[in-house]
Amino acid sequence: MKKSDHHIETDCVHAGHGPDAATAAVSPPIYLSTTFERGPDGSYPKGFSYARVANPNRAQLESCLAVLEGGREALAFSSGVAAAMAVFQALKPGDQVLCTEDAYHGIRRLLREVLQPWRLQVRFVDSTDPAAVRKAITPTTRLLWVETPSNPLLRITDLAAMAEIAQHAQVLTVCDNTFATPVLQRPFDFGMDLVMHSATKYLGGHSDVMGGVIVARESNAFTERLRLLQSEAGAVPSPFDCWLILRGAATLHLRIRAQSHNAARIAEFLARHKAVEQVFYPGLAIHPGHALAARQMRGFGAVLSFTLRGGQAAAMRCVAGVKLFTRATSLGGVESLIEHRASMEGPDTSTPDNLVRASVGVEHADDLIADLDQAMASQ
Ligand SMILES: *Cc1c(COP(=O)(O)O)cnc(C)c1O
């Protein structure tokens, strides 16, 4: 893939899109066929053979995402964790993975409960502290998995520092870029090797499709292995899912900017509210990762969390009292969601029990603020 000459706003609309070669349809057709005709000589004239191996809608989505991240190639999967699973399965028994300690709980659970029993070594580190990461690297360390901003505390990891430490030790680096999206953060600019997305979140953007993506800065033996795992392990997205994610990507830049603007307004409101103990949002000057986020990102994103002075009961009351926010997990859709995070993550969580996480949507910030204000009115 050649580097794009366009701004990301243009690439969101055009990369991987474009009139259908066969019919000139402006919106791409959905190719449901599972199989493709071979030529008399046994070849595959259009490059497609069987839909698990490749499908036109998936190819369009993959080329769009490779351009948005500035990578060489992208691989689409049926969910974010399926994408992560392919990366971990490309390693060998005995290899060690270092992972951001407050990464998405589903990734941590996948490593601990599925991959550790398959003899992957797993260690969780505070990736906001480069010295701690450098110290944790051993001769068996093969992969460094970083999530920034992290979940749910929005901690910021220095991607350039991670890439530098890893390169010295010949460790592969992955950034889970789900929260930031390529509009706000481009991990390849800082030397990361792979980018992972839960396309279920901002890329899809409407809470109606699951998907995952790995984008690679370079094509090499590791990406060949990922391609093999994609087709032979088979966790592939359906043509319609690919179509929905590609459609979502067209408006990604508009949504993430509007949502980030709203999140910043809400964070400022919460920071002044007497019932609130602490607000976790990298756009606030008091956030410990603020200066780094300002350098590394082009905006601070639209997820924030906050703790309440009144403890778990107060957090539950706040979530129970909202009328406009929807009480649900997940993030990245156009509608604002709110949740009591610890009870979602389960008994092994380290998330404070008075923490509320919000995914801010594209509604008017004043309406969202009024909703939170009335939900906390009794506190
Ligand atoms: C949701 C999420 C995932 C997992 O993706 P699924 O699409 O739910 O499988 C991974 N990382 C982050 C940061 C997420 O928010």
Side-chain angles (χ1 to χ4, degrees):
M1 178 112 4
K2 165 176 153 313
K3 286 264 183 297
S4 170
D5 300 329
H6 297 130
H7 295 89
I8 197 159
E9 291 82 355
T10 306
D11 285 330
C12 282
V13 178
H14 290 284
H17 295 74
D20 178 48
T23 63
V26 171
S27 170
I30 302 169
Y31 292 92
L32 294 176
S33 186
T34 55
T35 187
F36 299 82
E37 190 183 25
R38 298 176 74 171
D41 59 353
S43 66
Y44 297 99
K46 306 284 184 192
F48 295 104
S49 59
Y50 183 61
R52 175 155 46 69
V53 180
N55 154 279
N57 294 100
R58 198 199 317 161
Q60 288 162 3
L61 176 63
E62 290 178 343
S63 79
C64 173
L65 292 167
V67 171
L68 294 188
E69 285 291 358
R72 172 80 47 182
E73 61 175 306
L75 300 96
F77 293 86
S78 54
S79 68
V81 291
M85 183 68 177
V87 173
F88 299 137
Q89 280 181 320
L91 303 176
K92 296 195 176 64
D95 285 349
Q96 192 197 44
V97 174
L98 297 179
C99 177
T100 297
E101 64 186 357
D102 59 339
Y104 177 70
H105 77 115
I107 299 287
R108 283 185 283 136
R109 184 172 293 170
L110 178 67
L111 284 168
R112 261 196 336 259
E113 295 181 26
V114 180
L115 289 149
Q116 241 168 5
W118 281 80
R119 296 206 288 115
L120 211 60
Q121 292 183 51
V122 179
R123 177 144 175 218
F124 297 98
V125 286
D126 176 2
S127 60
T128 66
D129 177 3
V133 174
R134 191 176 283 117
K135 237 175 92 190
I137 289 180
T138 69
T140 61
T141 307
R142 183 82 173 86
L143 188 104
L144 173 60
W145 184 280
V146 172
E147 183 179 318
T148 182
S150 71
N151 191 352
L153 296 180
L154 289 304
R155 298 173 77 202
I156 306 295
T157 290
D158 185 335
L159 291 174
M162 293 301 110
E164 203 207 313
I165 292 167
Q167 270 155 18
H168 277 291
Q170 295 188 318
V171 168
L172 204 60
T173 46
V174 188
C175 177
D176 183 337
N177 205 26
T178 301
F179 272 37
T181 84
V183 177
L184 303 184
Q185 175 170 280
R186 303 238 297 185
F188 296 145
D189 293 349
F190 304 99
M192 301 299 280
D193 298 309
L194 300 171
V195 166
M196 176 266 176
H197 280 280
S198 167
T200 315
K201 313 294 170 52
Y202 290 102
L203 297 178
H206 297 76
S207 306
D208 55 9
V209 58
M210 295 213 70
V213 192
I214 301 295
V215 191
R217 185 162 51 93
E218 303 289 347
S219 295
N220 51 32
F222 195 83
T223 54
E224 268 172 43
R225 186 91 193 141
L226 290 177
R227 200 54 82 183
L228 180 82
L229 284 159
Q230 183 193 36
S231 67
E232 303 317 307
V236 291
S238 77
F240 185 43
D241 290 352
C242 294
W243 189 93
L244 281 171
I245 297 166
L246 188 69
R247 161 198 274 231
T251 54
L252 175 66
H253 60 294
L254 297 172
R255 290 184 281 105
I256 189 75
R257 293 221 171 89
Q259 290 173 256
S260 302
H261 168 82
N262 282 349
R265 293 259 338 262
I266 292 173
E268 281 159 22
F269 159 77
L270 290 168
R272 286 193 306 267
H273 199 286
K274 64 181 189 330
V276 173
E277 181 185 68
Q278 203 177 345
V279 183
F280 302 92
Y281 183 65
L284 291 177
I286 49 151
H287 187 280
H290 175 68
L292 175 57
R295 282 203 305 278
Q296 184 167 278
M297 302 175 72
R298 280 172 281 187
F300 301 103
V303 178
L304 57 85
S305 55
F306 55 103
T307 50
L308 285 129
R309 291 190 197 282
Q312 177 174 8
M316 295 302 252
R317 271 203 308 279
C318 166
V319 169
V322 294
K323 298 196 170 99
L324 196 52
F325 277 84
T326 301
R327 273 181 302 282
T329 194
S330 199
L331 57 110
V334 289
E335 65 290 300
S336 293
L337 305 180
I338 195 162
E339 68 173 331
H340 178 251
R341 187 66 192 165
S343 54
M344 162 65 199
E345 293 188 348
D348 59 350
T349 179
S350 55
T351 297
D353 66 6
N354 61 339
L355 182 136
V356 171
R357 189 184 83 175
S359 166
V360 179
V362 299
E363 303 94 333
H364 199 290
D366 290 347
D367 297 333
L368 295 170
I369 288 169
D371 190 33
L372 289 172
D373 202 22
Q374 66 79 28
M376 294 190 296
S378 60
Q379 301 186 15

